[in-house]
Amino acid sequence: MPPLVFAGEARTLRESLALVAEGKGFVLQAGDCAETFAEFNADQIRDKLKVILQMSVALTYSTGVPVVKIGRIAGQFAKPRSADTEQRDGMSLPSFRGDMVNDIAFDAISRNPDPQRLVQCYNQAAATLNLLRAFTKGGFADLSRVHQWNLEFVGSTREGRRYEQLSNEIDRALRFMEACGIDLRDEAQLHQVDFYTSHEALILGYEEALTRRDSLTGDYYDCSAHMLWIGDRTRQLDHAHVHFLAGVQNPIGVKIGPTTTPEEAVALCGALDPNKEPGRLTLIVRMGASKVRDLLPPILRAVQHAGHRIVWISDPMHGNTFQHATGYKTRHFDDVLSEVAEFFAACHEVGVWPGGVHLEMTGESVTECLGGGDEVLGENLEERYETTCDPRLNARQSLELAFRVAGLVRA
Ligand code: PEP
Ligand code: CO
């Protein structure tokens, strides 16, 4: 099958990330925990993109810092699991590992891995990417349409009104520039958006099949997405995932959880960024709101001392998951916000630029995470709990978080 992305695009993303490493940009990496075959349609892709564009406008406008937009999309189908098996009503079956591997239905046949799913993932990723390219390059992401990204059910809410106000200011700024005689029609930056794809490179059979030698440079690129990351459960130095991604030239991410030592972080940098090139490596910190403030500074110092210029971003989702009394796996908006704030404080202490956030979100009004402007309560979880893996911020919670993070960047 043809590659999904072009090596030159991955290089452009690396250049943008190199600027982030120098403190001249901010990363917004966001999307589903797990894409699925069942929830695959144009509206769902469009609404997720709308919210990411809104978040990015909120961040850019109030901080004056360019935002590098990277979706967890068009390939995010495989899930690492902490437990190999799942128990229900006295029955034990292999865990669901994402639509790339098996089916979520709880019966033995569904949970059997099926390699044909790799092909279906490829096809769905291609169709998703095609639509994203059409939306971001074909007029939908034009800044003059900034109002239209506000979703109907968000428009009348507090976050929606705040966004509307910001859109009005952007309109005014555009009219002002036109009045000054600047012809905005020629400014491609106002009419198109660079939107990149990423996913966890978990199933190496899929990644290997899409890895190609770039004819321009002779280097290998994993052309399943622009950026690939290694999860917290597969980041062992002597294991296959680190070894594989060390051999491709895409920008690479590694999740680092609370068990990461400064020595391990430095060793990962050595393996994945041997030439110490800014933009090559992003460390995605997911320690938990109560841990990051203490655990991160020694890691930041050790990596800095080793001479790597890393992009540091905060994943405030994966260290803050808990099981609610109703049985649902959830996260509280306040913990998510608090982890980002503590991450910023840790970076500030060491003099490192807090380079971005990595979020699990959707453009729909799901009730998977607690709190936020919506004030989702425990009893609301069952209303629209649709994720097949981790709980996602809904559209309002995502927009509210973007405004709050913008406040942190400004500060
Ligand atoms: C994820 O990003 O969905 C995930 C499983 O993350 P982590 O590897 O950080 O647990
Ligand atoms: Co997740």
Side-chain angles (χ1 to χ4, degrees):
M1 296 288 202
L4 290 171
V5 305
F6 160 57
E9 297 175 311
R11 275 195 291 278
T12 308
L13 174 58
R14 260 182 84 148
E15 285 161 18
S16 299
L17 290 171
L19 292 175
V20 177
E22 291 172 21
K24 294 178 185 154
F26 194 77
V27 174
L28 174 61
Q29 188 170 24
D32 281 303
C33 179
E35 291 175 272
T36 64
F37 296 162
E39 288 290 303
F40 173 46
N41 59 68
D43 290 359
Q44 176 267 114
I45 296 167
R46 181 201 58 209
D47 290 350
K48 199 177 307 154
L49 179 65
K50 276 186 176 179
V51 176
I52 292 175
L53 291 174
Q54 284 188 293
M55 295 170 80
S56 147
V57 158
L59 281 161
T60 314
Y61 192 77
S62 45
T63 66
V65 174
V67 173
V68 182
K69 295 165 274 294
I70 310 174
R72 285 178 62 117
I73 199 164
Q76 178 53 29
F77 292 100
K79 299 313 301 172
R81 302 312 297 260
S82 302
D84 282 341
T85 55
E86 182 182 343
Q87 276 68 245
R88 252 189 244 176
D89 308 323
M91 187 153 75
S92 176
L93 288 175
S95 295
F96 171 58
R97 290 182 183 273
D99 277 358
M100 190 179 275
V101 178
N102 57 5
D103 192 297
I104 195 166
F106 196 72
D107 60 74
I109 292 176
S110 300
R111 291 294 169 94
N112 209 21
D114 174 4
Q116 206 52 42
R117 289 174 167 270
L118 298 171
V119 179
Q120 193 170 343
C121 285
Y122 170 86
N123 287 328
Q124 184 165 324
T128 302
L129 189 53
N130 181 56
L131 193 60
L132 288 170
R133 289 191 194 277
F135 280 146
T136 53
K137 302 294 178 191
F140 180 84
D142 193 304
L143 204 51
S144 68
R145 300 184 59 156
V146 66
H147 290 278
Q148 289 158 38
W149 304 336
N150 221 352
L151 293 163
E152 213 164 280
F153 64 88
V154 174
S156 60
T157 66
R158 194 177 61 209
E159 303 78 49
R161 286 197 304 273
R162 187 163 173 200
Y163 177 78
E164 192 58 28
Q165 208 176 350
L166 190 145
S167 312
N168 289 335
E169 287 176 35
I170 292 173
D171 276 345
R172 235 185 353 256
L174 292 175
R175 282 201 304 274
F176 172 74
M177 285 192 281
E178 256 167 346
C180 293
I182 299 166
D183 189 351
L184 301 181
R185 282 171 309 185
D186 293 341
E187 302 293 332
Q189 292 300 324
L190 298 176
H191 308 299
Q192 297 188 346
V193 156
D194 290 327
F195 186 83
Y196 297 100
T197 59
S198 70
H199 60 262
E200 178 174 350
L202 183 65
I203 307 297
L204 296 179
Y206 181 80
E207 305 307 333
E208 187 175 8
L210 287 165
T211 295
R212 310 293 162 88
R213 187 168 218 155
D214 173 34
S215 58
L216 293 177
T217 60
D219 291 330
Y220 285 100
Y221 282 84
D222 182 344
C223 297
S224 71
H226 301 107
M227 177 187 186
L228 288 313
W229 78 84
I230 301 171
D232 193 41
R233 293 164 191 75
T234 51
R235 59 173 168 74
Q236 300 85 346
L237 269 178
D238 54 345
H239 284 208
H241 294 83
V242 170
H243 186 74
F244 184 84
L245 288 175
V248 297
Q249 292 306 311
N250 304 61
I252 299 299
V254 183
K255 294 282 202 90
I256 58 170
T259 59
T260 318
T261 63
E263 295 72 34
E264 271 175 338
V266 169
L268 278 167
C269 292
L272 292 163
D273 177 34
N275 302 323
K276 305 188 177 177
E277 295 166 290
R280 159 66 173 171
L281 188 59
T282 297
L283 290 180
I284 307 166
V285 182
R286 38 87 84 220
M287 305 267 176
S290 63
K291 297 187 180 144
V292 67
R293 186 69 186 83
D294 292 332
L295 294 179
L296 187 56
I299 297 178
L300 294 173
R301 284 197 187 92
V303 168
Q304 212 174 28
H305 188 249
H308 295 275
R309 280 168 294 163
I310 297 297
V311 174
W312 296 95
I313 71 179
S314 167
D315 165 358
M317 313 298 296
H318 289 88
N320 297 307
T321 317
F322 65 94
Q323 178 130 11
H324 188 262
T326 51
Y328 288 99
K329 185 156 85 156
T330 189
R331 294 159 173 156
H332 200 290
F333 181 87
D334 295 346
D335 294 335
V336 170
L337 181 61
S338 157
E339 178 154 356
V340 181
E342 297 290 326
F343 167 82
F344 270 68
C347 290
H348 187 70
E349 180 191 314
V350 181
V352 160
W353 171 245
V357 287
H358 178 114
L359 305 169
E360 289 185 339
M361 49 72 68
T362 157
E364 288 161 86
S365 56
V366 297
T367 54
E368 298 170 4
C369 290
L370 300 169
D374 245 347
E375 196 50 40
V376 175
L377 303 172
E379 68 248 36
N380 302 126
L381 289 174
E382 63 174 15
E383 288 164 16
R384 270 200 77 179
Y385 195 96
E386 296 173 5
T387 183
T388 57
C389 194
D390 292 335
R392 304 161 296 177
L393 298 170
N394 63 28
R396 282 188 63 185
Q397 289 167 330
S398 302
L399 192 53
E400 180 174 359
L401 189 72
F403 281 120
R404 305 287 282 266
V405 172
L408 290 170
V409 179
R410 264 201 315 274

